[in-house]
PDB file of all heavy atoms in Angstrom:
ATOM      1  N   ALA E  64      -0.006   8.194  23.683  1.00 96.00           N
ATOM      2  CA  ALA E  64       0.476   7.356  24.765  1.00 96.00           C
ATOM      3  C   ALA E  64      -0.403   7.409  26.013  1.00 96.00           C
ATOM      4  O   ALA E  64      -0.569   6.415  26.720  1.00 96.00           O
ATOM      5  CB  ALA E  64       1.907   7.763  25.138  1.00 96.00           C
ATOM      6  N   GLU E  65      -1.031   8.551  26.271  1.00 94.00           N
ATOM      7  CA  GLU E  65      -1.841   8.716  27.454  1.00 94.00           C
ATOM      8  C   GLU E  65      -3.288   8.291  27.247  1.00 94.00           C
ATOM      9  O   GLU E  65      -3.935   7.787  28.159  1.00 94.00           O
ATOM     10  CB  GLU E  65      -1.813  10.161  27.927  1.00 94.00           C
ATOM     11  CG  GLU E  65      -0.440  10.662  28.367  1.00 94.00           C
ATOM     12  CD  GLU E  65       0.061   9.862  29.573  1.00 94.00           C
ATOM     13  OE1 GLU E  65      -0.770   9.532  30.450  1.00 94.00           O
ATOM     14  OE2 GLU E  65       1.284   9.578  29.644  1.00 94.00           O
ATOM     15  N   ASP E  66      -3.806   8.443  26.060  1.00 94.00           N
ATOM     16  CA  ASP E  66      -5.193   8.120  25.749  1.00 94.00           C
ATOM     17  C   ASP E  66      -5.253   7.426  24.405  1.00 94.00           C
ATOM     18  O   ASP E  66      -5.576   8.025  23.377  1.00 94.00           O
ATOM     19  CB  ASP E  66      -6.043   9.398  25.731  1.00 94.00           C
ATOM     20  CG  ASP E  66      -7.535   9.106  25.637  1.00 94.00           C
ATOM     21  OD1 ASP E  66      -7.897   7.920  25.534  1.00 94.00           O
ATOM     22  OD2 ASP E  66      -8.333  10.057  25.673  1.00 94.00           O
ATOM     23  N   PRO E  67      -4.963   6.110  24.349  1.00 94.00           N
ATOM     24  CA  PRO E  67      -4.860   5.390  23.081  1.00 94.00           C
ATOM     25  C   PRO E  67      -6.177   5.369  22.285  1.00 94.00           C
ATOM     26  O   PRO E  67      -6.143   5.146  21.076  1.00 94.00           O
ATOM     27  CB  PRO E  67      -4.475   3.973  23.511  1.00 94.00           C
ATOM     28  CG  PRO E  67      -3.853   4.136  24.850  1.00 94.00           C
ATOM     29  CD  PRO E  67      -4.597   5.253  25.506  1.00 94.00           C
ATOM     30  N   GLY E  68      -7.302   5.586  22.939  1.00 91.00           N
ATOM     31  CA  GLY E  68      -8.559   5.557  22.207  1.00 91.00           C
ATOM     32  C   GLY E  68      -8.885   6.827  21.500  1.00 91.00           C
ATOM     33  O   GLY E  68      -9.833   6.897  20.712  1.00 91.00           O
ATOM     34  N   ARG E  69      -8.101   7.905  21.706  1.00 92.00           N
ATOM     35  CA  ARG E  69      -8.356   9.205  21.113  1.00 92.00           C
ATOM     36  C   ARG E  69      -7.611   9.311  19.768  1.00 92.00           C
ATOM     37  O   ARG E  69      -6.409   9.055  19.714  1.00 92.00           O
ATOM     38  CB  ARG E  69      -7.894  10.328  22.038  1.00 92.00           C
ATOM     39  CG  ARG E  69      -8.182  11.740  21.506  1.00 92.00           C
ATOM     40  CD  ARG E  69      -7.718  12.787  22.502  1.00 92.00           C
ATOM     41  NE  ARG E  69      -6.270  12.790  22.630  1.00 92.00           N
ATOM     42  CZ  ARG E  69      -5.613  13.513  23.510  1.00 92.00           C
ATOM     43  NH1 ARG E  69      -6.288  14.248  24.390  1.00 92.00           N
ATOM     44  NH2 ARG E  69      -4.281  13.475  23.562  1.00 92.00           N
ATOM     45  N   PRO E  70      -8.285   9.703  18.709  1.00 93.00           N
ATOM     46  CA  PRO E  70      -7.580   9.873  17.422  1.00 93.00           C
ATOM     47  C   PRO E  70      -6.468  10.912  17.566  1.00 93.00           C
ATOM     48  O   PRO E  70      -6.593  11.902  18.275  1.00 93.00           O
ATOM     49  CB  PRO E  70      -8.665  10.355  16.476  1.00 93.00           C
ATOM     50  CG  PRO E  70      -9.948   9.826  17.066  1.00 93.00           C
ATOM     51  CD  PRO E  70      -9.748   9.891  18.556  1.00 93.00           C
ATOM     52  N   VAL E  71      -5.383  10.678  16.865  1.00 94.00           N
ATOM     53  CA  VAL E  71      -4.241  11.590  16.865  1.00 94.00           C
ATOM     54  C   VAL E  71      -4.420  12.561  15.684  1.00 94.00           C
ATOM     55  O   VAL E  71      -4.742  12.166  14.578  1.00 94.00           O
ATOM     56  CB  VAL E  71      -2.922  10.818  16.712  1.00 94.00           C
ATOM     57  CG1 VAL E  71      -1.722  11.778  16.659  1.00 94.00           C
ATOM     58  CG2 VAL E  71      -2.757   9.820  17.863  1.00 94.00           C
ATOM     59  N   SER E  72      -4.199  13.835  15.949  1.00 94.00           N
ATOM     60  CA  SER E  72      -4.412  14.845  14.900  1.00 94.00           C
ATOM     61  C   SER E  72      -3.406  14.659  13.758  1.00 94.00           C
ATOM     62  O   SER E  72      -2.317  14.090  13.960  1.00 94.00           O
ATOM     63  CB  SER E  72      -4.246  16.267  15.483  1.00 94.00           C
ATOM     64  OG  SER E  72      -2.869  16.508  15.786  1.00 94.00           O
ATOM     65  N   HIS E  73      -3.771  15.144  12.590  1.00 95.00           N
ATOM     66  CA  HIS E  73      -2.884  15.034  11.447  1.00 95.00           C
ATOM     67  C   HIS E  73      -1.582  15.781  11.664  1.00 95.00           C
ATOM     68  O   HIS E  73      -0.493  15.345  11.199  1.00 95.00           O
ATOM     69  CB  HIS E  73      -3.585  15.529  10.201  1.00 95.00           C
ATOM     70  CG  HIS E  73      -4.639  14.601   9.689  1.00 95.00           C
ATOM     71  ND1 HIS E  73      -5.412  14.879   8.570  1.00 95.00           N
ATOM     72  CD2 HIS E  73      -5.044  13.378  10.147  1.00 95.00           C
ATOM     73  CE1 HIS E  73      -6.254  13.857   8.374  1.00 95.00           C
ATOM     74  NE2 HIS E  73      -6.059  12.949   9.309  1.00 95.00           N
ATOM     75  N   ASP E  74      -1.615  16.891  12.380  1.00 95.00           N
ATOM     76  CA  ASP E  74      -0.406  17.641  12.632  1.00 95.00           C
ATOM     77  C   ASP E  74       0.562  16.843  13.499  1.00 95.00           C
ATOM     78  O   ASP E  74       1.790  16.815  13.250  1.00 95.00           O
ATOM     79  CB  ASP E  74      -0.739  18.975  13.331  1.00 95.00           C
ATOM     80  CG  ASP E  74      -1.373  19.983  12.371  1.00 95.00           C
ATOM     81  OD1 ASP E  74      -1.273  19.774  11.144  1.00 95.00           O
ATOM     82  OD2 ASP E  74      -1.943  20.985  12.872  1.00 95.00           O
ATOM     83  N   ARG E  75       0.045  16.192  14.518  1.00 96.00           N
ATOM     84  CA  ARG E  75       0.911  15.374  15.374  1.00 96.00           C
ATOM     85  C   ARG E  75       1.459  14.158  14.612  1.00 96.00           C
ATOM     86  O   ARG E  75       2.613  13.801  14.764  1.00 96.00           O
ATOM     87  CB  ARG E  75       0.145  14.884  16.602  1.00 96.00           C
ATOM     88  CG  ARG E  75      -0.198  15.963  17.626  1.00 96.00           C
ATOM     89  CD  ARG E  75      -0.838  15.323  18.855  1.00 96.00           C
ATOM     90  NE  ARG E  75       0.152  14.595  19.685  1.00 96.00           N
ATOM     91  CZ  ARG E  75      -0.196  13.745  20.636  1.00 96.00           C
ATOM     92  NH1 ARG E  75      -1.482  13.478  20.867  1.00 96.00           N
ATOM     93  NH2 ARG E  75       0.728  13.136  21.364  1.00 96.00           N
ATOM     94  N   LEU E  76       0.607  13.556  13.774  1.00 96.00           N
ATOM     95  CA  LEU E  76       1.089  12.440  12.959  1.00 96.00           C
ATOM     96  C   LEU E  76       2.182  12.882  12.002  1.00 96.00           C
ATOM     97  O   LEU E  76       3.204  12.225  11.852  1.00 96.00           O
ATOM     98  CB  LEU E  76      -0.068  11.827  12.176  1.00 96.00           C
ATOM     99  CG  LEU E  76      -1.059  10.964  12.970  1.00 96.00           C
ATOM    100  CD1 LEU E  76      -2.240  10.569  12.073  1.00 96.00           C
ATOM    101  CD2 LEU E  76      -0.369   9.704  13.508  1.00 96.00           C
ATOM    102  N   ALA E  77       1.979  14.034  11.344  1.00 96.00           N
ATOM    103  CA  ALA E  77       2.969  14.530  10.413  1.00 96.00           C
ATOM    104  C   ALA E  77       4.301  14.784  11.118  1.00 96.00           C
ATOM    105  O   ALA E  77       5.388  14.484  10.601  1.00 96.00           O
ATOM    106  CB  ALA E  77       2.471  15.800   9.723  1.00 96.00           C
ATOM    107  N   ALA E  78       4.236  15.350  12.323  1.00 96.00           N
ATOM    108  CA  ALA E  78       5.452  15.604  13.097  1.00 96.00           C
ATOM    109  C   ALA E  78       6.155  14.279  13.449  1.00 96.00           C
ATOM    110  O   ALA E  78       7.399  14.190  13.417  1.00 96.00           O
ATOM    111  CB  ALA E  78       5.137  16.407  14.332  1.00 96.00           C
ATOM    112  N   ALA E  79       5.357  13.277  13.794  1.00 96.00           N
ATOM    113  CA  ALA E  79       5.940  11.960  14.114  1.00 96.00           C
ATOM    114  C   ALA E  79       6.603  11.348  12.906  1.00 96.00           C
ATOM    115  O   ALA E  79       7.685  10.760  12.984  1.00 96.00           O
ATOM    116  CB  ALA E  79       4.863  11.037  14.666  1.00 96.00           C
TER     117      ALA E  79
END
Side-chain angles (χ1 to χ4, degrees):
E65 296 298 322
D66 189 356
R69 183 179 66 187
V71 178
S72 72
H73 287 179
D74 287 345
R75 290 185 73 195
L76 285 173

